[in-house]
Amino acid sequence: MPRSILFLLFLFSSLGSFGQITQTIRGKVVDAVSQRGLPGASVVVLDTSTFIGSASDVDGGFKLENVPIGRVSLKVSFIGYEDQFLQNLVLNPSKQMVLNIQLQEKINSVEEVVIKAERNQGEALNEMAIISARAFSVEETRRFAGSWQDPARAAAAYAGVSGGSDERNDIIIRGNSPTAVLWRLEDINIPNPNHLSFSGSTGGPVSILNNNMLSNSDFFTGAFPAEYGNANAGAFDLNLRRGNNEKREYYFQLGLAGLEFGLEGPFTKNHPASYLASYRYSTMAIIGLMGIDFGISAIPNYQDLTFVVDIPTQKKAGRFTLWGIGGLSSIHITDNPGFNDGNSEKRDQKLGSDMGAAGLTQLIFLGEKTSLKTTIAVTGLHQWQTKNIIEETDSTSETYLETYNKHITLGASIHSQLNTKLSARSNIRTGIIYDQKFISFVDSTIDLNSGLYYVNFNLKDNYGLAQVYSQFHHRFSEKTSGSAGVHAQMSTLNTSFAIEPRVAFKWAPHRRHAFSVGSGMHSQMLPALTYFFQSYLPTENHYITTNRNVGFTRSVHAIVGYDWTIIPKLRLKLEGYYQYLYKIPIEPTPSYFSMANAGASIGDVQVSDSLVNKGTGENIGIELTIEKFFDRGYYFLLTGSLYNSTYKGSDGVRRNTAFNGNYNLSALGGYEFKISKKNTLAFDSKITWTGGARYVPIDIDASVAQQETVRDYSRAYEAKYKDYFRMDLKATIVFNGKRASHSLALDFQNVTNTKNIFSQIFNSDTGQLETKYQLGFLPLVYYRVEF
């Protein structure tokens, strides 16, 4: 290592090393079910030379001052409640740590409770979730190599989950379509929270969700609790954190993903209200405006904003929270040879998407054991695209419009949830959700043979989705617990209706072993553009919508699980599952087509007319997780899945789905070194190995004859591309000063520069197949300062 680098490391590691730097930890201790504050709870810092502890006040609030920065562990206890251990929290000098700690009321013994508190790490925050669920923290999205600080990309490391491609963050759960995933933020079902998204999709290249603004959240992969509906695969239940209401704090971050600035603090010193806001702008767009040439014709331009205003009021009025996220994005692609069909014409393409969601939440207590939480919100999604074809000869150049679309969906939503703690053993949760959508779709495409434009959409309409649910959780003993509930939903578009029972149980015969089982029925509406797809009737010279009466896609989940705490901080988890999907929309005449494959290609979700709910599908698999939670400077997470995902279209042939890779393997881990009392150096790595993507093969003879890509749909998804493999490495160094914390991260993605196949087309000029590959080696740099 060059002497200059050694000198810089020594210099930075010496920053702030003279004298101990401390910070404040504060927050609130509440009952996990009623959310009432617990007065007199004990909060103690573990593993310190001097005692640092405090008792919570009448509202459950606590404050620990002069806590040394670095990794901190806490023990929280209250008479009649299970102890809670919070391990290896990161405390830095520039930011107070504000915690909301939930304690579970005891039933019987104390001995098992302490062990159980250790085992709860990684389990879902929602106590109704017993199986196929886990909590994920903001630290994980920052720490995992190759995650781009994106919750969806970080979730791809979990068992049963894989990414759709390097270019986007769509996630595939247990062989299901990525369109079957629910995104929920602050109890509101939100539209696709990603930049440069396509109609009907749930992913995109860059997430609008800012991990600097998120609190710990939940992720579900099957048989989820009754409060989650309109999803067949899984759900993200995300929470925004609240701002510091005692001290103003700031951060600045620069990386390839964007230039970002955030701030938070109290409005006044005499009121507990707080604000939190963050803004980000595309780094590549900024550099492009400076006239610097990247050597590429398409530079993504995006920006996003997130804010939270938290206003505690008098106890009778409750707590109000105003929140919102929004993003604008666009890209202009020039000199782009036609890739979808293999023709050699040049494309001049512009596309983009704008997304927003804002809401007002009220949390009010109705007595000692009941709370009511109500959120009203507005949402919006605008996705657009224009594509010009440029035909050039030796002497002429002609440009004409090939595709134009503009899809706008505005929404108004309400979610009201009543929580009642019946006893230390039992609680019940009941709620209603209503989403009203107002759509405006315009979409037309030219027929290259006739030169005529065909209109797929040209309409305005509205529809609603009403959901109600009730769920009951009971702890039979310290060893056994269960939850049961029912979810019902109805669409006002065509009065489709579904009643969905859900049930799950957990039995822990030994303090280190637990068995669980869960089952549930689920249903989901199709992407909105499917219902309003228009078919032209030439004899009558007008368009009709033939999919308006298509019903929900439905599924039944059955899951069994085993959880073994090998030693504290190390667990093994095994789950087996079977999912039966039915009433999947398919074409009425014999065809391979099924909405089970929606989202298989980049672009707007493929639709067809005159769909009928007669398709079926099956997903079956087994998953293994071996996880070492962060402790003593290191962690690792090993996950593996073996699965099979199939479907039947109207031709009656059982085929692989487009997402049937058959196996996934992920191995990630990291180690954190202390290079001084206050500064750290961390190395993280991740290896991903999955079965190759399924594809529809190209008919070479037909392609040569027609001089464009012609696919053989009779053999749809029989074959796979070669396996996907990728290795990511990340190094992060943190320098803690007295008033500021600096971090510098180098994230090397696909360090082996593996050529993973993205797609293949027929090139009419060469008469050969051409292969497009996913991202090669990509180095990313992040710098962050908090002050």
Side-chain angles (χ1 to χ4, degrees):
M1 182 180 291
R3 292 183 179 180
S4 58
I5 297 179
L6 287 173
F7 174 76
L8 287 174
L9 284 175
F10 172 77
L11 178 63
F12 281 124
S13 67
S14 300
L15 291 175
S17 60
F18 303 101
Q20 188 178 59
I21 301 175
T22 62
Q23 186 54 277
T24 297
I25 301 176
R26 60 187 186 83
K28 192 172 183 179
V29 183
V30 300
D31 182 282
V33 177
S34 71
Q35 296 297 302
R36 280 280 188 182
L38 298 177
S42 170
V43 185
V44 178
V45 180
L46 301 177
D47 304 320
T48 57
S49 56
T50 59
F51 175 80
I52 303 177
S54 175
S56 60
D57 60 24
V58 66
D59 295 316
F62 71 92
K63 178 182 286 189
L64 303 174
E65 296 180 309
N66 300 318
V67 181
I69 64 168
R71 294 279 176 177
V72 178
S73 296
L74 304 177
K75 178 182 178 181
V76 186
S77 56
F78 184 64
I79 297 174
Y81 282 73
E82 300 175 0
D83 292 348
Q84 177 76 274
F85 291 87
L86 288 77
Q87 304 280 359
N88 293 292
L89 305 174
V90 180
L91 183 65
N92 66 52
S94 60
K95 188 175 184 59
Q96 290 186 349
M97 182 179 293
V98 183
L99 302 172
N100 186 61
I101 302 171
Q102 303 185 46
L103 298 186
Q104 187 76 48
E105 192 171 357
K106 289 180 183 178
I107 298 176
N108 293 315
S109 66
V110 176
E111 180 183 357
E112 289 184 333
V113 167
V114 176
I115 301 298
K116 184 179 179 183
E118 292 286 340
R119 296 180 63 238
N120 278 341
Q121 189 168 354
E123 292 185 359
L125 304 177
N126 188 331
E127 76 279 1
M128 297 284 181
I130 290 178
I131 197 167
S132 292
R134 68 166 294 152
F136 67 93
S137 67
V138 175
E139 186 180 359
E140 288 178 341
T141 63
R142 291 178 182 172
R143 186 169 55 198
F144 288 177
S147 70
W148 287 31
Q149 301 188 9
D150 178 350
R153 284 187 166 93
Y158 302 145
V161 184
S162 61
S165 69
D166 290 344
E167 286 81 0
R168 296 170 57 82
N169 63 3
D170 304 81
I171 61 170
I172 299 164
I173 299 175
R174 294 175 173 174
N176 284 282
S177 163
T179 64
V181 175
L182 171 71
W183 286 97
R184 177 174 288 183
L185 179 68
E186 291 290 316
D187 293 334
I188 292 294
N189 301 332
I190 62 172
N192 188 337
N194 291 283
H195 289 298
L196 298 172
S197 65
F198 290 100
S199 293
S201 67
T202 58
V206 180
S207 178
I208 295 173
L209 296 166
N210 188 327
N211 74 320
N212 294 304
M213 305 290 284
L214 293 176
S215 179
N216 292 347
S217 304
D218 281 341
F219 177 58
F220 305 90
T221 57
F224 22 96
E227 64 192 270
Y228 304 97
N230 199 35
N232 277 316
F236 282 94
D237 188 358
L238 305 173
N239 302 302
L240 296 171
R241 66 182 182 88
R242 278 32 178 177
N244 192 330
N245 61 6
E246 290 189 1
K247 178 184 176 184
R248 289 185 174 87
E249 297 170 340
Y250 310 88
Y251 79 88
F252 169 82
Q253 182 170 299
L254 175 63
L256 185 62
L259 178 68
E260 184 177 331
F261 177 74
L263 70 164
E264 62 183 287
F267 285 100
T268 66
K269 293 183 178 181
N270 300 322
H271 195 280
S274 67
Y275 62 85
L276 172 68
S278 177
Y279 174 78
R280 177 177 61 173
Y281 195 89
S282 167
T283 303
M284 294 182 68
I286 293 174
I287 297 175
L289 292 173
M290 296 169 61
I292 298 175
D293 186 6
F294 281 97
I296 58 176
S297 61
I299 297 176
N301 190 327
Y302 56 85
Q303 54 187 311
D304 48 63
L305 171 71
T306 307
F307 70 87
V308 180
V309 176
D310 189 45
I311 308 174
T313 64
Q314 297 297 324
K315 291 185 178 181
K316 290 184 178 181
R319 188 184 197 102
F320 291 90
T321 304
L322 179 67
W323 57 270
I325 65 169
L328 308 174
S329 60
S330 62
I331 191 169
H332 185 191
I333 305 171
T334 59
D335 300 326
N336 178 36
F339 197 82
N340 291 330
D341 57 11
N343 292 332
S344 58
E345 300 101 336
K346 292 182 179 179
R347 267 31 174 207
D348 186 307
Q349 185 177 8
K350 296 179 181 178
L351 57 91
S353 65
D354 309 321
M355 175 269 176
L360 178 65
T361 300
Q362 181 194 33
L363 174 63
I364 188 170
F365 292 100
L366 308 174
E368 291 296 322
K369 296 186 176 182
T370 302
S371 64
L372 177 66
K373 187 177 183 181
T374 302
T375 302
I376 56 173
V378 293
T379 61
L381 183 63
H382 172 208
Q383 296 161 314
W384 55 272
Q385 178 181 186
T386 60
K387 184 190 296 183
N388 295 315
I389 294 180
I390 305 172
E391 287 191 342
E392 295 180 341
T393 64
D394 293 338
S395 58
T396 64
S397 176
E398 184 177 355
T399 301
Y400 55 92
L401 182 65
E402 179 191 25
T403 299
Y404 171 80
N405 65 52
K406 184 177 183 180
H407 301 164
I408 299 175
T409 302
L410 302 178
S413 302
I414 183 171
H415 184 177
S416 187
Q417 184 182 90
L418 183 71
N419 285 280
T420 301
K421 182 177 181 179
L422 303 176
S423 68
R425 295 176 180 268
S426 306
N427 62 287
I428 189 170
R429 181 178 300 163
T430 303
I432 59 170
I433 304 171
Y434 186 77
D435 300 303
Q436 182 71 26
K437 303 295 184 181
F438 304 88
I439 61 102
S440 175
F441 291 165
V442 177
D443 194 321
S444 61
T445 304
I446 195 171
D447 185 324
L448 297 179
N449 295 320
S450 66
L452 300 176
Y453 284 94
Y454 286 88
V455 176
N456 297 321
F457 307 97
N458 186 14
L459 53 82
K460 294 182 179 180
D461 211 325
N462 69 90
Y463 65 94
L465 180 66
Q467 304 175 65
V468 296
Y469 61 87
S470 184
Q471 48 196 0
F472 175 75
H473 183 266
H474 183 72
R475 293 189 291 167
F476 300 94
S477 68
E478 293 289 352
K479 296 181 178 181
T480 309
S481 62
S483 64
V486 62
H487 178 276
Q489 65 182 43
M490 185 185 75
S491 167
T492 65
L493 182 67
N494 51 28
T495 66
S496 293
F497 183 76
I499 298 178
E500 306 159 1
R502 318 271 178 89
V503 64
F505 291 96
K506 183 176 182 179
W507 175 52
H510 187 274
R511 64 175 182 264
R512 291 187 177 181
H513 302 275
F515 299 88
S516 53
V517 60
S519 183
M521 300 182 69
H522 304 263
S523 59
Q524 183 177 13
M525 292 188 70
L526 299 174
L529 74 167
T530 308
Y531 294 103
F532 300 103
F533 185 81
Q534 295 181 304
S535 301
Y536 179 64
L537 299 180
T539 58
E540 301 179 19
N541 193 30
H542 74 92
Y543 292 87
I544 62 171
T545 55
T546 59
N547 292 333
R548 194 178 184 94
N549 292 321
V550 176
F552 300 139
T553 299
R554 304 194 180 190
S555 66
V556 179
H557 296 218
I559 308 169
V560 294
Y562 167 66
D563 202 322
W564 175 26
T565 302
I566 302 171
I567 58 175
K569 299 294 182 183
L570 177 62
R571 73 164 181 174
L572 179 149
K573 186 176 182 179
L574 188 68
E575 286 194 348
Y577 65 88
Y578 174 76
Q579 181 187 14
Y580 176 69
L581 296 102
Y582 61 105
K583 293 191 175 183
I584 304 174
I586 58 176
E587 293 179 339
T589 56
S591 166
Y592 84 101
F593 180 87
S594 171
M595 290 301 291
N597 299 310
S601 59
I602 289 183
D604 294 344
V605 168
Q606 183 183 2
V607 298
S608 184
D609 64 355
S610 305
L611 297 176
V612 294
N613 289 102
K614 294 184 177 180
T616 60
E618 291 183 332
N619 295 316
I620 185 170
I622 187 169
E623 302 165 354
L624 174 67
T625 299
I626 302 175
E627 184 168 15
K628 167 67 169 60
F629 297 104
F630 189 95
D631 187 47
R632 299 183 181 180
Y634 74 100
Y635 73 97
F636 61 80
L637 174 64
L638 308 176
T639 63
S641 306
L642 295 174
Y643 66 98
N644 195 44
S645 177
T646 60
Y647 77 99
K648 279 187 181 181
S650 55
D651 58 6
V653 178
R654 180 166 294 280
R655 289 186 170 89
N656 298 297
T657 67
F659 314 107
N660 191 18
N662 295 126
Y663 46 85
N664 296 328
L665 178 65
S666 175
L668 60 86
Y671 197 94
E672 182 179 281
F673 300 88
K674 279 191 173 184
I675 54 180
S676 75
K677 289 183 178 181
K678 303 167 186 63
N679 307 320
T680 60
L681 176 64
F683 294 98
D684 302 274
S685 65
K686 179 183 177 184
I687 294 175
T688 304
W689 177 28
T690 67
R694 298 279 174 177
Y695 64 95
V696 180
I698 296 173
D699 187 325
I700 300 296
D701 294 337
S703 298
V704 171
Q706 299 185 33
Q707 287 297 288
E708 64 179 9
T709 301
V710 179
R711 299 191 181 272
D712 183 0
Y713 291 101
S714 67
R715 298 166 53 205
Y717 311 123
E718 287 182 359
K720 297 190 297 182
Y721 294 129
K722 71 175 184 179
D723 287 356
Y724 174 99
F725 178 84
R726 175 171 144 174
M727 176 184 290
D728 304 314
L729 297 175
K730 183 179 180 182
T732 306
I733 188 167
V734 178
F735 311 115
N736 288 313
K738 188 173 183 179
R739 291 186 174 87
S741 176
H742 304 261
S743 60
L744 178 66
L746 304 177
D747 196 348
F748 300 105
Q749 304 195 10
N750 195 3
V751 293
T752 59
N753 199 28
T754 304
K755 292 185 176 296
N756 294 302
I757 297 176
F758 177 70
S759 62
Q760 289 182 330
I761 55 96
F762 173 78
N763 188 306
S764 59
D765 289 338
T766 64
Q768 302 292 324
L769 293 182
E770 286 189 1
T771 300
K772 182 179 179 181
Y773 295 96
Q774 302 195 47
L775 290 178
F777 172 66
L778 178 65
L780 300 177
V781 180
Y782 301 94
Y783 168 72
R784 176 184 176 87
V785 57
E786 295 177 311
F787 55 98

